[in-house]
């Protein structure tokens, strides 16, 4: 899987390069394409590890972290910016400051949600998921209402950001994003043995000496950081993580997260790089890659739900 992902990355960097190899402009073109490949690696790492960890702590292989409303909050932030301040301010709503603002806001929302619903007299993971769905639905409705009031030109500008794409990634963010993603990914990998036990359920993991409540909150905080970074960097990818996790369980049929995590990362990287290479250089359809991934992931979700006949 890693070899195929690297082969697809090499194809993205050098295949169909309009500049000859011996030209001084060849390297700058490759460097521009490297930005997209780095964004794919970051998105694949965040989405794959976050989804697998989330499904393990919830003991459900159908739901995804998107249920907590990350994409809905991102859409609301972007829509509110252009609705309240206009297209000029919206275009200027970029840079490290705006990126960190979006990440911190999404993480804070989830921390408040966890602290309220996973402690005290609540302590109910299913209630947290239900509240997350309700909040996400409300934010999407608010965003839809604001978009209907926008001028056509403003709506077009907004839609460009609401589609998940590695072209949205700004290399200016990489010095901040890459260290955070590496640290969080390592923390999840080091937590693999506890996740193996937690995937057995609350009662069994508690009887085996695991502090279930602390472990759930700890994992969900790491998931929130990864999902917030991915969403703020490349945009919403609702079913991508689900598609990656589902394929990883089939390719690595084991309970051990020490193997599932690397397989999920390699699978996510291959899906992104392979999809972008095929759509860009075979079908010449650069703008529909994320749409195709979402359609395939959504169809896979429906098939699995219908086969299991339950969530």
């Amino acid at each position: 899987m890693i070899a195929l992902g690297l082969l697809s990355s090499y194809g993205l960097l050098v295949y169909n390069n309009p500049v000859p190899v011996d030209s001084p402009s060849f390297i700058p073109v490759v460097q521009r394409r490297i930005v997209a490949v780095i964004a794919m690696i970051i998105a694949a790492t965040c989405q794959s590890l976050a989804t697998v960890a989330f499904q393990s702590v919830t003991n459900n292989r159908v739901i995804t972290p998107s249920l907590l409303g990350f994409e809905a909050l991102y859409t609301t932030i972007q829509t509110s910016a252009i609705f309240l301040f206009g297209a000029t301010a919206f275009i200027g709503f970029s840079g490290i400051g705006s990126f960190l603002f979006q990440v911190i806001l999404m993480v804070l929302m989830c921390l408040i949600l966890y602290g309220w619903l996973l402690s005290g007299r609540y302590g109910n993971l299913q209630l947290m998921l239900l509240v997350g769905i309700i909040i996400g639905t409300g934010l999407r409705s608010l965003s839809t209402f604001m978009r209907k009031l926008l001028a056509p030109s403003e709506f077009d500008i907004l839609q460009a950001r609401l589609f998940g794409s590695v072209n949205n990634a700004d290399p200016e963010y990489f010095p901040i994003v890459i260290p955070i993603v590496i640290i969080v990914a390592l923390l999840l990998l080091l937590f693999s043995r506890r996740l193996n036990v937690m995937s057995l359920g609350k009662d069994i993991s508690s009887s085996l000496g695991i502090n279930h409540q602390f472990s759930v909150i700890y994992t969900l905080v790491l998931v929130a950081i990864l999902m917030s970074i991915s969403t703020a960097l490349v945009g919403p990818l609702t079913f991508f993580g689900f598609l990656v996790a589902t394929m990883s369980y089939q390719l690595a049929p084991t309970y051990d997260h020490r193997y599932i995590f690397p397989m999920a990362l390699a699978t996510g990287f291959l899906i992104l790089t392979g999809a972008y290479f095929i759509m860009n250089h075979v079908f010449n359809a650069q703008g529909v890659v994320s749409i195709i991934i979402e359609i395939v992931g959504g169809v896979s979700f429906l098939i699995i739900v219908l086969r299991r006949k339950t969530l």
Side-chain angles (χ1 to χ4, degrees):
M1 300 296 287
I2 294 175
L4 290 174
L6 292 175
L7 182 62
S8 299
S9 302
Y10 178 77
L12 285 171
L13 293 177
V14 302
Y15 182 78
N16 202 22
N17 193 325
V19 182
V21 178
D22 56 352
S23 172
S25 301
F26 181 80
I27 298 300
V29 173
V30 172
Q31 290 176 341
R32 178 63 187 90
R33 294 183 175 187
I34 287 177
V35 172
V37 174
I38 294 175
M40 293 179 196
I41 297 173
I42 295 173
T45 303
C46 293
Q47 293 279 339
S48 59
L49 299 187
T51 304
V52 171
F54 185 78
Q55 291 181 348
S56 297
V57 297
T58 57
N59 200 23
N60 191 317
R61 290 189 174 184
V62 174
I63 59 179
T64 68
S66 300
L67 293 177
L68 297 180
F70 293 101
E71 286 85 357
L73 183 58
Y74 171 82
T75 302
T76 304
I77 293 173
Q78 298 293 330
T79 307
S80 300
I82 194 170
F83 178 79
L84 297 175
F85 305 107
T88 303
F90 177 76
I91 295 173
F93 186 63
S94 59
I96 295 179
S98 65
F99 175 79
L100 291 177
F101 170 76
Q102 294 176 78
V103 171
I104 292 173
L105 189 61
M106 285 186 275
V107 172
L108 283 178
M109 185 196 75
C110 291
L111 291 179
I112 294 172
L113 195 63
Y114 304 156
W116 174 40
L117 297 176
L118 292 180
S119 61
R121 62 189 181 90
Y122 293 102
N124 192 320
L125 192 61
Q126 285 69 35
L127 179 61
M128 184 200 72
L129 295 175
L130 179 60
V131 172
I133 293 173
I134 295 172
I135 292 175
T137 302
L139 291 175
R140 290 186 187 95
S141 300
L142 178 61
S143 300
T144 302
F145 172 75
M146 288 189 291
R147 286 200 297 271
K148 288 183 179 296
L149 300 178
L150 295 175
S153 58
E154 294 176 334
F155 182 82
D156 290 339
I157 296 173
L158 175 64
Q159 285 298 105
R161 286 198 188 179
L162 296 186
F163 280 111
S165 174
V166 295
N167 295 324
N168 295 334
D170 190 334
E172 183 183 4
Y173 307 152
F174 291 165
I176 297 176
V177 168
I178 292 175
I180 296 176
V181 171
I182 291 175
I183 292 173
V184 175
L186 289 176
L187 290 176
L188 278 177
L189 290 173
L190 293 174
F191 207 65
S192 294
R193 293 182 182 273
R194 286 180 176 266
L195 286 174
N196 294 340
V197 180
M198 292 173 63
S199 61
L200 299 174
K202 179 179 180 180
D203 295 336
I204 297 178
S205 61
S206 298
S207 65
L208 293 175
I210 298 293
N211 186 337
H212 189 268
Q213 184 179 9
F214 169 80
S215 299
V216 167
I217 295 177
Y218 175 80
T219 305
L220 289 178
V221 169
L222 299 181
V223 168
I225 295 173
L226 291 177
M227 290 297 298
S228 301
I229 289 176
S230 173
T231 305
L233 184 67
V234 301
L237 294 170
T238 305
F239 289 108
F240 171 67
F242 172 79
L243 178 62
V244 170
T246 301
M247 293 183 62
S248 302
Y249 297 139
Q250 301 299 320
L251 295 170
T254 175
Y255 68 91
D256 198 338
H257 288 75
R258 292 176 299 173
Y259 301 103
I260 297 176
F261 277 145
M263 178 59 73
L265 200 158
T267 303
F269 180 57
L270 175 59
I271 289 176
L272 278 182
T273 55
Y276 270 92
F277 178 79
I278 292 173
M279 298 306 296
N280 288 358
H281 299 301
V282 177
F283 296 104
N284 295 319
Q286 299 184 9
V288 299
V289 178
S290 60
I291 300 175
I292 298 298
I293 292 176
E294 293 296 279
I295 291 175
V296 174
V299 171
S300 302
F301 176 83
L302 291 176
I303 292 174
I304 291 177
V305 169
L306 291 176
R307 287 180 60 185
R308 293 181 55 172
K309 299 181 180 180
T310 180
L311 289 174

